[in-house]
Amino acid sequence: MAQLAPASRGAGGGDVLDLVIVGAGPAGLTAAAAARERGLSHVILEQEGDLGGAIFHYPRRKLVLVQAVEVPILGHLREGEYAKEDLLGILTDLCRRGDLRIRFGERVQGLERNGGLFSVRSTSGVTLSRFVILAMGRRGTPRKLGAPGEELPKVMYQLADAESYEQQRILIVGGGDSAVEAALGLARQRGNRVTLSYRREKLVRIKKKNETRIAELLANRRIEGAFNTDVEEIGPASVRLKTPGGVRELPNDYVFVFAGGEPPFELLRQMGIRFGGDAPEILPRR
């Protein structure tokens, strides 16, 4: 096993790591494993309490497509598709075998470059490093609908286990693979009445497998498609949808919103990262 390079001391007396990695998803973990193989000191800062990134929030037994890749320390991943739990097990094994250093519950709040070092400010303080890898993914903070009643406890932004819901009136909001897979899983449970609300007239850019499955359940009315609709208001026992023909009210027990995430653009801009339309800005040296 490769040994970590000893951390040096910064001008202010603090330890200096070779690498700070933001995010404990597959990209962040494999970056840390590669650093470990090269004898580089590192730490992963993860804002949540578990590793896996977006994969951790996938529904139970969801299949995840994996390219044929060589993972540092572990070697070649032989399968092209893994169940969520199996892939999380592989990542956990990577952490154990590689002795990867992860600090959970660490939300990064800022980054500055001072001379040749980076100061990464997070929940517990400042970490100094020579290099920083941002492996934050695209999930971000769940995007809200902005509709009255969205603060009710029956409104959720992820589905961990469809089998926990039976005999319920459920509205799924969204038109991507996450929304479709949630609708499919919930429609298979006993007694559920599932409606899929999407602001466009049809589903686009979803996986072929999901497209085939959702088409079948829509055709036999196992799932009701409410296309060209937006959520106007969420009540304790109903939901009001805006439709081309007016407002429609549905009896409702749960609402699952899959409207994508809000990436931390302002935090990234503060770090000196530019997006289309931004004025050029260079992270200042100090």
Side-chain angles (χ1 to χ4, degrees), residues 23-269:
L29 295 175
T30 52
R36 192 73 158 94
E37 284 188 332
R38 290 160 175 78
L40 302 176
S41 57
H42 75 279
V43 69
I44 303 172
L45 305 181
E46 169 55 52
Q47 67 178 356
E48 301 199 38
D50 297 275
L51 59 82
I55 294 173
F56 179 79
H57 296 282
Y58 285 172
R60 188 172 65 87
R61 304 306 299 172
K62 172 182 168 67
L63 294 178
V64 183
L65 297 177
V66 178
Q67 294 180 343
V69 293
E70 192 79 16
V71 178
I73 297 174
L74 291 185
H76 186 68
L77 290 186
R78 294 181 173 83
E79 305 295 331
E81 194 173 56
Y82 291 88
K84 162 193 169 177
E85 291 78 2
D86 295 335
L87 186 54
L88 288 177
I90 291 172
L91 295 177
T92 300
D93 186 45
L94 175 63
C95 293
R96 179 186 61 80
R97 292 173 58 182
D99 189 25
L100 305 186
R101 310 297 171 84
I102 308 177
R103 300 210 310 250
F104 293 105
E106 287 279 349
R107 181 182 292 273
V108 172
Q109 300 167 327
L111 180 152
E112 294 180 349
R113 186 163 58 191
N114 300 292
L117 299 178
F118 288 98
S119 299
V120 183
R121 181 165 41 86
S122 62
T123 308
S124 66
V126 174
T127 305
L128 301 178
S129 70
R130 294 184 179 85
F131 299 96
V132 176
I133 292 179
L134 300 178
M136 303 158 70
R138 299 178 58 187
R139 183 170 177 270
T141 302
R143 182 175 289 119
K144 303 296 183 67
L145 299 175
E150 193 171 4
E151 74 284 351
L152 292 172
K154 72 173 190 175
V155 180
M156 288 165 281
Y157 301 89
Q158 61 190 43
L159 174 64
D161 188 357
E163 294 180 4
S164 301
Y165 300 87
E166 293 184 345
Q167 303 289 352
Q168 303 296 328
R169 301 163 300 181
I170 301 170
L171 179 71
I172 308 291
V173 182
D177 283 302
S178 295
V180 168
E181 288 165 5
L184 292 170
L186 290 165
R188 294 191 184 102
Q189 309 311 313
R190 182 171 59 90
N192 283 343
R193 293 168 54 190
V194 178
T195 301
L196 178 65
S197 169
Y198 187 42
R199 57 188 174 84
R200 298 186 180 182
E201 63 182 13
K202 64 179 181 179
L203 299 170
V204 295
R205 294 196 300 271
I206 60 175
K207 297 174 184 174
K208 184 63 178 179
K209 185 186 298 184
N210 286 336
E211 183 180 358
T212 301
R213 291 173 176 171
I214 194 72
E216 179 182 345
L217 269 64
L218 287 169
N220 63 27
R221 305 292 292 178
R222 291 282 302 281
I223 296 174
E224 180 184 355
F227 296 100
N228 286 322
T229 64
D230 289 290
V231 176
E232 181 178 76
E233 184 176 2
I234 301 171
S238 67
V239 175
R240 291 167 59 88
L241 297 179
K242 290 187 291 186
T243 78
V247 175
R248 178 186 175 196
E249 187 162 2
L250 300 175
N252 176 261
D253 299 302
Y254 290 99
V255 176
F256 289 91
V257 179
F258 297 94
E262 297 283 359
F265 287 123
E266 289 309 311
L267 174 63
L268 295 173
R269 287 190 176 98

